[in-house]
Amino acid sequence: MFRTFRGGQSGGWRVTSVSPVTGEPLPFMPALSVIDGDAVALPLVPSRHAWRLVGVPSHLRYTERAERQQLVSVQAGLGRLEATCAALIPIRKSQAWWDLTQEERRKIFEDKSHHIASSMRFLPSVARQLYHCRDLGEPFDFLTWFEYAPAHVSLFEELVGMLRRTEEWTYVEREVDVRVVKEVLSA
Ligand code: HEM
């Protein structure tokens, strides 16, 4: 159930950029591996040669039944052949966010920021998976992973640009944007 993202010297994805959006950056590594499980023999602390981030898919916190039905009816799964571009965006939210109640957070997340309602139109072009890691003692609270075709690169920019202007994002204290393309193996 764990998913490990390892930035290093080799892997199935070639890193095209590592951009610090807010807070402390992550060092650029030429390749990214996405591995099932957490048993990767690498230190948790980022080194000069590699870093690794671990997360776990979890239950929904904010999504209401009607929203979930809508999402399920339009979303695409990971691993589509044409989705050769991807983004790993680790995010940590501030103490002020975690000090809010669940109800207050949902208000900011959806009623004010429209995270779900506004993002829906980017489906199914963008496939996504959210991993939680706050309770694993990781440096981020969430690892967000998105896959899309090269034709949808600018659509993805529009999506992240839109979310970063929301009230929800005023609670983001660390965010790094790692962009990758699928490494094509030559015969
Ligand atoms: C492709 C369009 C997107 C859709 C449909 C979408 C939908 C959702 C949904 C339904 C949740 C709530 C899960 C729950 O109920 O617990 C969620 C959470 C989240 N999403 Fe998105 N999202 C999209 C894009 C993005 C992007 C581009 C980012 C990052 C730049 C992002 C970052 C997050 C984060 C960090 C959370 C966790 C929020 C929290 O629990 O505080 N999402 N998203």
Side-chain angles (χ1 to χ4, degrees):
M1 81 187 182
F2 287 101
R3 182 56 59 99
T4 298
F5 293 89
R6 189 193 60 162
Q9 306 307 310
S10 62
W13 298 86
R14 182 167 57 80
V15 177
T16 54
S17 63
V18 177
S19 317
V21 182
T22 308
E24 200 191 325
L26 277 176
F28 180 88
M29 297 294 156
L32 180 77
S33 314
V34 183
I35 306 148
D36 281 331
D38 65 342
V40 177
L42 267 175
L44 279 167
V45 179
S47 78
R48 280 196 311 125
H49 308 293
W51 43 256
R52 68 163 224 194
L53 300 168
V54 180
V56 63
S58 187
H59 65 269
L60 297 173
R61 267 75 167 170
Y62 306 108
T63 313
E64 295 183 347
R65 183 166 297 277
E67 292 163 340
R68 189 178 68 183
Q69 275 162 356
Q70 221 184 329
L71 285 164
V72 168
S73 71
V74 285
Q75 72 195 8
L78 300 182
R80 291 170 298 171
L81 282 180
E82 70 274 21
T84 55
C85 297
L88 168 66
I89 308 183
I91 287 177
R92 189 174 70 221
K93 286 183 169 175
S94 64
Q95 194 54 47
W97 173 262
W98 296 108
D99 285 343
L100 297 170
T101 64
Q102 182 71 14
E103 208 178 24
E104 289 166 332
R105 287 196 291 262
R106 157 79 200 186
K107 239 177 220 136
I108 295 164
F109 175 85
E110 193 57 27
D111 304 352
K112 293 178 164 182
S113 303
H114 314 293
H115 188 122
I116 302 172
S118 307
S119 299
M120 200 75 84
R121 74 181 165 93
F122 297 89
L123 305 179
S125 308
V126 177
R128 70 190 175 92
Q129 178 66 55
L130 174 66
Y131 300 94
H132 286 255
C133 43
R134 179 172 173 81
D135 297 330
L136 303 179
E138 285 281 294
F140 294 94
D141 295 336
F142 309 99
L143 305 178
T144 66
W145 174 254
F146 307 92
E147 293 177 0
Y148 45 94
H152 295 128
V153 166
S154 57
L155 189 76
F156 188 71
E157 292 313 325
E158 192 186 329
L159 168 65
V160 290
M162 176 193 81
L163 286 171
R164 286 177 184 143
R165 287 190 299 272
T166 60
E167 184 172 334
E168 182 194 353
W169 247 253
T170 64
Y171 293 90
V172 172
E173 66 174 21
R174 187 174 180 200
E175 178 176 5
V176 182
D177 192 328
V178 181
R179 298 300 175 89
V180 299
V181 292
K182 203 167 240 164
E183 202 64 275
V184 182
L185 295 174
S186 46

Coordinates of all heavy atoms in Angstrom, one line a residue, residues 98-158:
W98 N -3.9 22.7 10.1 CA -4.2 21.5 10.9 C -4.8 21.9 12.2 O -5.4 21.0 12.8 CB -2.9 20.8 11.1 CG -2.3 20.2 9.8 CD1 -1.2 20.7 9.1 CD2 -2.9 19.2 9.0 NE1 -1.1 20.0 7.9 CE2 -2.1 19.1 7.8 CE3 -4.0 18.4 9.1 CZ2 -2.4 18.2 6.8 CZ3 -4.3 17.5 8.1 CH2 -3.5 17.4 6.9
D99 N -4.8 23.2 12.6 CA -5.5 23.6 13.8 C -6.9 23.8 13.6 O -7.7 23.9 14.5 CB -4.8 24.9 14.4 CG -3.5 24.7 15.1 OD1 -3.2 23.5 15.4 OD2 -2.7 25.6 15.2
L100 N -7.4 23.9 12.3 CA -8.8 24.0 12.0 C -9.5 22.7 12.2 O -8.9 21.7 12.2 CB -8.9 24.4 10.5 CG -8.3 25.8 10.1 CD1 -8.4 25.9 8.6 CD2 -9.1 26.9 10.8
T101 N -10.8 22.8 12.4 CA -11.6 21.5 12.5 C -11.8 21.0 11.1 O -11.7 21.7 10.1 CB -13.0 21.8 13.1 OG1 -13.7 22.7 12.3 CG2 -12.8 22.4 14.5
Q102 N -12.2 19.8 11.0 CA -12.5 19.1 9.7 C -13.5 20.0 8.9 O -13.4 20.2 7.7 CB -13.1 17.7 10.0 CG -13.4 16.9 8.8 CD -12.1 16.4 8.1 OE1 -11.1 16.5 8.6 NE2 -12.3 16.0 6.9
E103 N -14.6 20.5 9.6 CA -15.6 21.2 9.0 C -15.1 22.6 8.4 O -15.4 23.0 7.3 CB -16.7 21.5 10.1 CG -18.1 21.7 9.6 CD -19.0 21.9 10.7 OE1 -18.6 22.4 11.8 OE2 -20.2 21.7 10.5
E104 N -14.2 23.2 9.2 CA -13.6 24.5 8.7 C -12.7 24.3 7.5 O -12.7 25.1 6.6 CB -12.8 25.1 9.9 CG -13.7 25.7 11.0 CD -12.9 26.0 12.3 OE1 -11.8 25.4 12.5 OE2 -13.3 26.9 13.0
R105 N -12.0 23.1 7.5 CA -11.1 22.8 6.4 C -11.9 22.6 5.1 O -11.6 23.0 4.1 CB -10.2 21.6 6.7 CG -9.1 22.0 7.7 CD -8.0 20.9 7.7 NE -8.5 19.7 8.3 CZ -8.3 19.3 9.5 NH1 -7.6 20.0 10.4 NH2 -8.8 18.1 10.0
R106 N -13.0 21.8 5.3 CA -13.9 21.5 4.1 C -14.4 22.8 3.5 O -14.5 23.0 2.3 CB -15.0 20.6 4.5 CG -16.3 20.6 3.6 CD -16.2 19.8 2.3 NE -17.2 20.3 1.4 CZ -17.5 19.7 0.2 NH1 -16.8 18.7 -0.2 NH2 -18.4 20.2 -0.6
K107 N -14.8 23.8 4.4 CA -15.3 25.1 3.9 C -14.3 25.8 3.1 O -14.6 26.3 2.0 CB -15.6 25.9 5.2 CG -17.1 26.3 5.2 CD -17.5 27.1 6.4 CE -18.8 26.7 6.8 NZ -18.9 26.5 8.3
I108 N -13.0 25.8 3.5 CA -12.0 26.5 2.7 C -11.7 25.7 1.5 O -11.6 26.2 0.4 CB -10.7 26.6 3.6 CG1 -11.0 27.6 4.8 CG2 -9.5 27.2 2.8 CD1 -10.0 27.6 5.9
F109 N -11.5 24.4 1.6 CA -11.2 23.5 0.5 C -12.2 23.5 -0.6 O -11.8 23.7 -1.8 CB -11.0 22.1 1.0 CG -10.8 21.0 0.0 CD1 -9.5 20.7 -0.4 CD2 -11.8 20.3 -0.6 CE1 -9.2 19.7 -1.4 CE2 -11.6 19.3 -1.5 CZ -10.3 19.0 -1.9
E110 N -13.5 23.5 -0.3 CA -14.5 23.4 -1.4 C -15.4 24.6 -1.5 O -15.5 25.2 -2.5 CB -15.3 22.1 -1.2 CG -16.1 21.7 -2.5 CD -15.3 21.6 -3.7 OE1 -14.1 21.3 -3.7 OE2 -15.8 21.9 -4.8
D111 N -16.0 25.0 -0.4 CA -17.0 26.1 -0.5 C -16.3 27.4 -0.9 O -16.9 28.1 -1.7 CB -17.7 26.3 0.9 CG -18.3 25.0 1.4 OD1 -18.4 24.1 0.7 OD2 -18.8 25.0 2.6
K112 N -15.1 27.6 -0.5 CA -14.4 28.9 -0.9 C -13.4 28.6 -2.0 O -13.3 29.5 -2.9 CB -13.6 29.4 0.3 CG -14.6 29.9 1.4 CD -13.7 30.5 2.5 CE -14.6 31.3 3.5 NZ -13.7 31.8 4.6
S113 N -12.7 27.5 -2.1 CA -11.7 27.3 -3.1 C -12.1 26.5 -4.3 O -11.5 26.5 -5.3 CB -10.4 26.7 -2.4 OG -9.9 27.5 -1.4
H114 N -13.2 25.8 -4.1 CA -13.8 25.0 -5.2 C -12.8 24.0 -5.8 O -12.7 23.8 -7.0 CB -14.4 25.9 -6.3 CG -15.2 27.0 -5.8 ND1 -16.4 26.9 -5.2 CD2 -15.0 28.4 -5.8 CE1 -16.9 28.0 -4.8 NE2 -16.0 29.0 -5.1
H115 N -12.0 23.4 -4.9 CA -10.9 22.5 -5.4 C -11.5 21.4 -6.3 O -11.0 21.2 -7.4 CB -10.3 21.9 -4.2 CG -9.1 21.0 -4.4 ND1 -7.8 21.3 -3.9 CD2 -8.9 19.9 -5.2 CE1 -6.9 20.4 -4.3 NE2 -7.6 19.5 -5.1
I116 N -12.6 20.8 -5.8 CA -13.2 19.7 -6.6 C -14.0 20.3 -7.8 O -13.7 19.8 -9.0 CB -14.1 18.8 -5.8 CG1 -13.3 18.2 -4.6 CG2 -14.7 17.7 -6.6 CD1 -14.1 17.5 -3.5
A117 N -14.9 21.2 -7.6 CA -15.7 21.7 -8.6 C -14.9 22.3 -9.8 O -15.2 22.1 -11.0 CB -16.7 22.7 -8.1
S118 N -13.9 23.1 -9.5 CA -13.1 23.7 -10.5 C -12.1 22.7 -11.2 O -11.8 23.0 -12.4 CB -12.3 24.9 -10.0 OG -13.1 25.7 -9.3
S119 N -11.7 21.7 -10.5 CA -10.7 20.8 -11.1 C -11.4 19.7 -12.0 O -10.7 19.0 -12.8 CB -10.0 20.0 -10.0 OG -9.3 21.0 -9.2
M120 N -12.7 19.5 -11.8 CA -13.4 18.5 -12.5 C -13.3 18.5 -14.0 O -13.2 17.5 -14.7 CB -14.9 18.6 -12.1 CG -15.7 17.4 -12.3 SD -15.4 16.1 -11.1 CE -16.5 16.6 -9.8
R121 N -13.2 19.8 -14.6 CA -13.1 19.9 -16.0 C -11.8 19.4 -16.6 O -11.6 19.3 -17.8 CB -13.5 21.3 -16.5 CG -12.4 22.3 -16.2 CD -12.9 23.7 -16.6 NE -12.0 24.7 -16.1 CZ -10.9 25.2 -16.7 NH1 -10.6 24.8 -17.9 NH2 -10.2 26.2 -16.2
F122 N -10.8 19.2 -15.7 CA -9.5 18.7 -16.2 C -9.5 17.2 -16.3 O -8.5 16.6 -16.7 CB -8.4 19.2 -15.3 CG -8.3 20.7 -15.3 CD1 -9.0 21.5 -14.4 CD2 -7.5 21.4 -16.2 CE1 -9.0 22.9 -14.4 CE2 -7.4 22.8 -16.3 CZ -8.2 23.5 -15.4
L123 N -10.6 16.6 -15.9 CA -10.7 15.1 -16.1 C -11.4 14.8 -17.4 O -12.3 15.6 -17.8 CB -11.5 14.5 -14.9 CG -11.0 14.9 -13.5 CD1 -11.9 14.2 -12.5 CD2 -9.6 14.4 -13.3
P124 N -11.1 13.7 -18.1 CA -10.1 12.7 -17.7 C -8.7 13.0 -18.3 O -7.9 12.1 -18.2 CB -10.7 11.5 -18.4 CG -11.4 12.0 -19.6 CD -11.9 13.4 -19.3
S125 N -8.5 14.2 -18.8 CA -7.2 14.4 -19.5 C -6.0 14.2 -18.5 O -5.0 13.7 -18.8 CB -7.1 15.9 -20.0 OG -8.2 16.2 -20.8
V126 N -6.3 14.7 -17.2 CA -5.3 14.5 -16.2 C -5.7 13.4 -15.2 O -6.9 13.4 -14.7 CB -5.1 15.8 -15.4 CG1 -4.1 15.6 -14.2 CG2 -4.7 17.0 -16.3
A127 N -4.9 12.4 -15.1 CA -5.2 11.3 -14.1 C -4.4 11.6 -12.9 O -3.3 12.2 -12.9 CB -4.8 9.9 -14.7
R128 N -5.0 11.3 -11.7 CA -4.4 11.7 -10.5 C -4.4 10.7 -9.4 O -5.3 9.8 -9.4 CB -5.0 13.0 -10.0 CG -6.4 12.7 -9.5 CD -7.3 13.9 -9.2 NE -8.6 13.4 -8.9 CZ -8.9 13.1 -7.7 NH1 -8.2 13.4 -6.6 NH2 -10.1 12.5 -7.4
Q129 N -3.5 10.8 -8.4 CA -3.5 10.0 -7.2 C -2.9 10.8 -6.1 O -1.9 11.4 -6.2 CB -2.7 8.7 -7.4 CG -2.7 7.8 -6.2 CD -4.0 7.2 -5.8 OE1 -4.7 6.5 -6.6 NE2 -4.4 7.4 -4.6
L130 N -3.7 10.8 -5.0 CA -3.2 11.5 -3.8 C -2.7 10.5 -2.8 O -3.3 9.5 -2.5 CB -4.4 12.3 -3.2 CG -4.3 13.0 -1.9 CD1 -3.3 14.1 -2.0 CD2 -5.6 13.5 -1.4
Y131 N -1.5 10.8 -2.3 CA -0.9 9.9 -1.2 C -0.8 10.8 0.0 O -0.3 11.9 0.0 CB 0.5 9.4 -1.6 CG 0.4 8.6 -2.9 CD1 0.6 9.2 -4.1 CD2 0.1 7.2 -2.8 CE1 0.6 8.4 -5.3 CE2 0.1 6.5 -4.0 CZ 0.3 7.1 -5.2 OH 0.3 6.3 -6.4
H132 N -1.1 10.2 1.2 CA -1.0 10.9 2.5 C 0.4 10.5 3.1 O 0.7 9.3 3.1 CB -2.1 10.6 3.4 CG -3.4 11.2 3.0 ND1 -3.9 12.3 3.7 CD2 -4.3 11.0 2.0 CE1 -5.1 12.7 3.1 NE2 -5.3 11.9 2.1
C133 N 1.0 11.4 3.8 CA 2.3 11.1 4.5 C 2.5 11.9 5.7 O 3.5 11.7 6.4 CB 3.5 11.2 3.5 SG 3.5 12.6 2.5
R134 N 1.6 12.7 6.1 CA 1.7 13.5 7.4 C 2.0 12.6 8.6 O 2.8 12.9 9.4 CB 0.5 14.4 7.6 CG 0.6 15.3 8.9 CD -0.5 16.3 8.9 NE -0.5 17.0 10.2 CZ 0.3 18.0 10.5 NH1 1.1 18.4 9.6 NH2 0.2 18.6 11.7
D135 N 1.2 11.5 8.7 CA 1.3 10.7 9.9 C 2.5 9.7 9.8 O 2.6 8.9 10.7 CB 0.0 10.0 10.1 CG -1.1 11.0 10.4 OD1 -0.8 12.1 11.0 OD2 -2.3 10.7 10.1
L136 N 3.2 9.7 8.7 CA 4.4 8.8 8.5 C 5.7 9.5 9.0 O 6.8 9.0 8.8 CB 4.5 8.4 7.1 CG 3.3 7.7 6.4 CD1 3.6 7.3 5.0 CD2 2.9 6.4 7.2
G137 N 5.6 10.8 9.4 CA 6.8 11.5 9.9 C 7.6 12.0 8.7 O 8.8 12.2 8.8
E138 N 6.9 12.1 7.5 CA 7.6 12.6 6.3 C 7.7 14.1 6.3 O 7.0 14.8 7.0 CB 6.8 12.1 5.1 CG 6.9 10.6 4.8 CD 8.2 10.3 4.1 OE1 8.3 10.7 2.9 OE2 9.1 9.6 4.6
P139 N 8.6 14.6 5.4 CA 8.7 16.1 5.3 C 7.5 16.8 4.7 O 7.4 18.0 4.8 CB 10.0 16.3 4.5 CG 10.2 15.0 3.8 CD 9.6 13.9 4.6
F140 N 6.7 16.1 4.0 CA 5.5 16.7 3.4 C 4.2 16.0 4.0 O 4.3 14.9 4.6 CB 5.5 16.4 1.9 CG 6.6 17.2 1.2 CD1 7.8 16.5 0.9 CD2 6.5 18.5 0.8 CE1 8.9 17.2 0.3 CE2 7.5 19.2 0.2 CZ 8.7 18.5 -0.1
D141 N 3.1 16.6 3.8 CA 1.8 16.1 4.3 C 1.2 15.2 3.2 O 0.5 14.2 3.5 CB 0.8 17.2 4.6 CG 1.3 18.0 5.8 OD1 2.1 17.5 6.6 OD2 0.9 19.2 5.9
F142 N 1.4 15.6 1.9 CA 0.8 14.9 0.8 C 1.8 14.8 -0.4 O 2.7 15.7 -0.6 CB -0.4 15.7 0.2 CG -1.4 16.2 1.2 CD1 -1.3 17.5 1.7 CD2 -2.3 15.3 1.7 CE1 -2.2 17.9 2.7 CE2 -3.3 15.8 2.6 CZ -3.2 17.1 3.1
L143 N 1.7 13.7 -1.1 CA 2.4 13.5 -2.4 C 1.3 13.5 -3.4 O 0.4 12.6 -3.4 CB 3.2 12.3 -2.4 CG 4.2 12.1 -1.3 CD1 5.0 10.7 -1.4 CD2 5.2 13.2 -1.2
T144 N 1.3 14.4 -4.3 CA 0.3 14.4 -5.4 C 0.9 14.0 -6.7 O 2.0 14.4 -7.0 CB -0.5 15.7 -5.5 OG1 0.4 16.7 -6.0 CG2 -1.0 16.2 -4.2
W145 N 0.3 13.1 -7.4 CA 0.9 12.5 -8.6 C -0.2 12.7 -9.8 O -1.3 12.3 -9.6 CB 1.2 11.1 -8.4 CG 1.7 10.3 -9.6 CD1 1.0 9.4 -10.3 CD2 3.0 10.4 -10.2 NE1 1.8 8.9 -11.3 CE2 3.0 9.5 -11.3 CE3 4.2 11.2 -10.0 CZ2 4.1 9.3 -12.1 CZ3 5.3 11.0 -10.8 CH2 5.2 10.1 -11.8
F146 N 0.3 13.2 -10.9 CA -0.6 13.4 -12.1 C 0.1 12.9 -13.3 O 1.3 13.1 -13.5 CB -0.9 14.9 -12.2 CG -1.4 15.5 -11.0 CD1 -0.5 16.1 -10.0 CD2 -2.7 15.5 -10.6 CE1 -0.9 16.6 -8.8 CE2 -3.2 16.0 -9.4 CZ -2.3 16.6 -8.5
E147 N -0.7 12.3 -14.2 CA -0.2 11.8 -15.5 C -1.1 12.3 -16.6 O -2.3 12.3 -16.5 CB -0.3 10.2 -15.5 CG 0.6 9.5 -14.5 CD 0.5 8.0 -14.5 OE1 -0.3 7.5 -15.3 OE2 1.2 7.4 -13.8
Y148 N -0.5 12.8 -17.7 CA -1.2 13.4 -18.8 C -0.4 13.2 -20.1 O 0.8 13.0 -20.1 CB -1.5 14.8 -18.5 CG -0.4 15.6 -18.0 CD1 0.5 16.4 -18.8 CD2 -0.1 15.6 -16.6 CE1 1.5 17.1 -18.3 CE2 1.0 16.3 -16.1 CZ 1.8 17.0 -16.9 OH 2.9 17.7 -16.4
A149 N -1.1 13.4 -21.2 CA -0.4 13.3 -22.5 C 0.3 14.6 -22.8 O 0.0 15.7 -22.3 CB -1.4 13.0 -23.6
P150 N 1.4 14.6 -23.7 CA 2.1 15.8 -24.0 C 1.1 16.9 -24.6 O 1.4 18.1 -24.3 CB 3.1 15.3 -25.1 CG 3.3 13.9 -24.9 CD 2.0 13.3 -24.3
A151 N 0.1 16.5 -25.2 CA -0.9 17.5 -25.7 C -1.6 18.3 -24.6 O -2.2 19.3 -24.9 CB -2.0 16.8 -26.6
H152 N -1.5 17.8 -23.4 CA -2.2 18.4 -22.3 C -1.3 19.1 -21.3 O -1.7 19.5 -20.2 CB -3.1 17.4 -21.6 CG -4.2 16.9 -22.4 ND1 -4.5 15.6 -22.6 CD2 -5.1 17.6 -23.2 CE1 -5.5 15.5 -23.4 NE2 -5.9 16.7 -23.8
V153 N 0.0 19.4 -21.7 CA 0.9 20.1 -20.9 C 0.4 21.5 -20.4 O 0.4 21.8 -19.2 CB 2.3 20.2 -21.6 CG1 3.2 21.2 -20.9 CG2 3.0 18.9 -21.6
S154 N -0.1 22.2 -21.4 CA -0.6 23.6 -21.0 C -1.9 23.5 -20.2 O -2.1 24.4 -19.3 CB -0.7 24.5 -22.2 OG -1.5 24.0 -23.1
L155 N -2.7 22.5 -20.4 CA -3.9 22.3 -19.6 C -3.5 22.1 -18.2 O -4.1 22.6 -17.2 CB -4.7 21.1 -20.2 CG -6.1 20.9 -19.6 CD1 -7.1 21.9 -20.2 CD2 -6.6 19.5 -19.9
F156 N -2.5 21.3 -18.0 CA -2.0 21.0 -16.6 C -1.5 22.3 -16.0 O -1.7 22.5 -14.8 CB -1.0 19.9 -16.6 CG -0.6 19.4 -15.2 CD1 -1.5 18.7 -14.5 CD2 0.6 19.8 -14.6 CE1 -1.2 18.3 -13.2 CE2 0.9 19.4 -13.3 CZ 0.0 18.7 -12.6
E157 N -0.8 23.1 -16.7 CA -0.3 24.4 -16.2 C -1.5 25.3 -15.7 O -1.4 25.9 -14.7 CB 0.5 25.2 -17.2 CG 1.8 24.6 -17.7 CD 2.7 24.2 -16.5 OE1 2.7 24.8 -15.5 OE2 3.3 23.2 -16.7
E158 N -2.5 25.2 -16.5 CA -3.7 26.0 -16.2 C -4.3 25.5 -14.8 O -4.7 26.3 -14.0 CB -4.7 25.9 -17.3 CG -5.9 26.8 -17.2 CD -6.9 26.5 -18.3 OE1 -6.5 26.0 -19.4 OE2 -8.1 26.7 -18.1

